[in-house]
């Protein structure tokens, strides 16, 4: 693809600049930053105390730096809401039918209502290097990996592949657990879509958009190819993906166009994203001195 070839020479210089920023900024660190909430409204009162250690334990579990083993180490916010929908008593085991909402607090969000798990021993939870499956922890890991994949896609073209591959390993374990297989075939389908060739155009756009906007503020000389690629791809991605991106990142696109003083890009945004037309027209009038 022409846009990808054009950007190759710029990327090496950009990565050196970006990595220096990541390694020296006080904002960045080597960890996932989980924010976990658990809704127990439908849990019997006598069972609720068993969940007292959950938020602290799960937060510590997901905060372990073992998530990170490559140069793009920085704080990744991961917001996870766990909603217990039903408690199933089948002595000697108690299981929970639940749903989860996981996001990075912005453009990346997943929801899943096909989740059944048993409660782990909170005192025995620890990260291990060997693959294992636990129906509560593995689902949290799976969606954390999807969020990490999206974050890494921002800073390298298809940079999230490493996390999609690891998420596939979790899926493979879940699909073969006969007691807690519920939801894992569907999660596998979500993952297959994210990794599919049909999603690669959106991932290209996603990379150019975030990297381009970053460069317009931090290294304008390198920004042009990235921003041009963003607006070449914008009308080509699926309308649903485009609207989802607009809903959280309209300002990012407007910033990139304004900083590059591209009135045609602002006009393009106003045409494609009529819901936020006022935003783009205000930036356009500012550039034109009106």
């Amino acid at each position: 693809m022409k846009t990808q070839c054009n950007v190759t020479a710029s990327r090496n210089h950009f990565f050196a600049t970006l990595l220096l920023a990541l390694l020296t900024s006080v904002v960045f660190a080597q960890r996932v930053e989980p924010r976990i909430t658990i809704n127990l409204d439908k849990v019997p009162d006598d069972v609720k105390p068993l969940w007292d250690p959950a938020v602290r334990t799960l937060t510590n579990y997901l905060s372990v730096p073992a998530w990170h083993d490559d140069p793009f180490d920085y704080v990744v916010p991961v917001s996870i809401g766990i909603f217990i929908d039903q408690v199933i008593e089948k002595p000697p085991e108690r299981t929970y039918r639940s749903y989860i909402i996981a996001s990075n607090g912005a453009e990346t969000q997943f929801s899943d209502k096909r989740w059944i798990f048993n409660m782990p021993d909170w005192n025995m939870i620890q990260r291990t290097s060997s693959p294992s499956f636990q129906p509560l922890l593995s689902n949290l890991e799976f969606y954390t990996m999807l969020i990490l994949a999206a974050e890494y896609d921002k800073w390298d073209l298809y940079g999230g592949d490493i996390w999609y591959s690891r998420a596939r390993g979790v899926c493979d374990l879940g699909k073969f657990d006969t007691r807690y297989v519920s939801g894992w075939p569907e999660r596998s389908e979500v993952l297959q879509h994210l990794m599919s060739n049909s999603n690669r155009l959106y991932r290209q756009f996603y990379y150019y958009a975030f990297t381009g906007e970053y460069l317009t503020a931090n290294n304008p000389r390198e920004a042009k190819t990235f921003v041009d690629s963003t607006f070449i791809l914008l009308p080509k991605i699926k309308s649903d993906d485009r609207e989802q991106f607009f809903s959280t990142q309209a300002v990012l696109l407007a910033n990139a166009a304004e900083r590059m003083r591209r009135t045609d890009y602002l006009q393009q945004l106003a045409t494609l994203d009529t819901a936020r037309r006022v935003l783009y027209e205000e930036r356009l009038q500012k550039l034109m001195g009106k």
Side-chain angles (χ1 to χ4, degrees):
M1 181 175 179
K2 187 175 181 180
T3 53
Q4 183 174 342
C5 294
N6 287 342
V7 84
T8 302
S10 300
R11 286 176 58 197
N12 292 336
H13 183 81
F14 161 65
F15 288 143
T17 303
L18 176 61
L19 290 178
L20 179 63
L22 293 179
L23 293 173
T24 58
S25 172
V26 295
V27 175
F28 298 119
Q30 298 182 5
R31 68 180 187 275
V32 165
E33 188 175 83
R35 299 161 189 166
I36 297 175
T37 59
I38 303 176
N39 186 302
L40 300 174
D41 290 350
K42 296 184 179 181
V43 174
D45 289 341
D46 61 325
V47 177
K48 287 179 179 178
L50 300 176
W51 284 88
D52 288 347
V55 170
R56 173 180 51 82
T57 303
L58 296 175
T59 298
N60 291 339
Y61 180 78
L62 292 179
S63 299
V64 173
W67 289 106
H68 299 277
D69 58 2
D70 62 58
F72 299 103
D73 290 336
Y74 64 100
V75 169
V76 178
V78 177
S79 298
I80 296 177
I82 300 172
F83 301 82
I84 310 299
D85 199 45
Q86 183 182 7
V87 180
I88 304 170
E89 300 281 0
K90 290 186 177 180
E93 189 172 53
R94 176 186 292 120
T95 57
Y96 299 85
R97 187 179 299 276
S98 310
Y99 66 95
I100 183 173
I101 297 175
S103 80
N104 68 345
E107 78 288 340
T108 303
Q109 180 171 304
F110 302 94
S111 61
D112 183 345
K113 295 186 177 182
R114 301 180 180 89
W115 190 16
I116 297 177
F117 59 84
N118 60 340
M119 182 182 291
D121 183 338
W122 301 119
N123 295 319
M124 298 297 291
I125 290 180
Q126 60 181 348
R127 295 287 297 277
T128 63
S129 57
S130 58
S132 60
F133 179 78
Q134 201 289 327
L136 170 60
L137 301 179
S138 293
N139 206 28
L140 299 183
E141 288 185 347
F142 175 75
Y143 285 109
T144 299
M145 289 174 180
L146 296 192
I147 291 170
L148 282 167
E151 288 294 318
Y152 280 52
D153 268 354
K154 293 177 180 178
W155 308 120
D156 193 8
L157 191 58
Y158 311 127
D161 282 350
I162 183 174
W163 291 109
Y164 287 139
S165 178
R166 293 177 184 180
R168 183 167 53 193
V170 176
C171 260
D172 289 344
L173 291 173
K175 287 189 295 184
F176 291 103
D177 186 289
T178 56
R179 290 189 302 165
Y180 297 103
V181 69
S182 176
W184 286 103
E186 290 78 11
R187 287 171 205 127
S188 180
E189 291 178 4
V190 170
L191 180 59
Q192 287 173 14
H193 164 71
L194 293 171
M195 298 179 70
S196 68
N197 289 333
S198 64
N199 195 45
R200 290 178 81 80
L201 188 68
Y202 178 72
R203 292 177 68 190
Q204 288 179 31
F205 162 77
Y206 191 83
Y207 163 63
Y208 293 135
F210 279 99
T211 301
E213 192 274 343
Y214 173 88
L215 288 173
T216 60
N218 295 277
N219 194 345
R221 288 185 301 174
E222 299 286 343
K224 183 179 185 304
T225 302
F226 290 85
V227 175
D228 287 347
S229 297
T230 298
F231 286 93
I232 288 171
L233 292 173
L234 179 59
K236 298 179 180 180
I237 62 177
K238 296 176 182 177
S239 59
D240 288 348
D241 289 337
R242 188 166 55 239
E243 177 53 36
Q244 177 66 24
F245 195 86
F246 280 145
S247 69
T248 59
Q249 299 300 332
V251 171
L252 178 143
L253 294 172
N255 285 345
E258 182 181 4
R259 289 171 187 159
M260 297 302 291
R261 305 196 63 79
R262 294 295 298 262
T263 58
D264 55 333
Y265 289 164
L266 287 168
Q267 289 169 344
Q268 181 186 34
L269 289 171
T271 299
L272 292 174
D273 184 20
T274 56
R276 285 157 282 269
R277 183 189 295 272
V278 173
L279 165 67
Y280 310 125
E281 290 180 343
E282 287 176 349
R283 302 294 184 95
L284 186 59
Q285 290 174 4
K286 181 179 177 182
L287 282 184
M288 298 175 69
K290 295 182 179 181

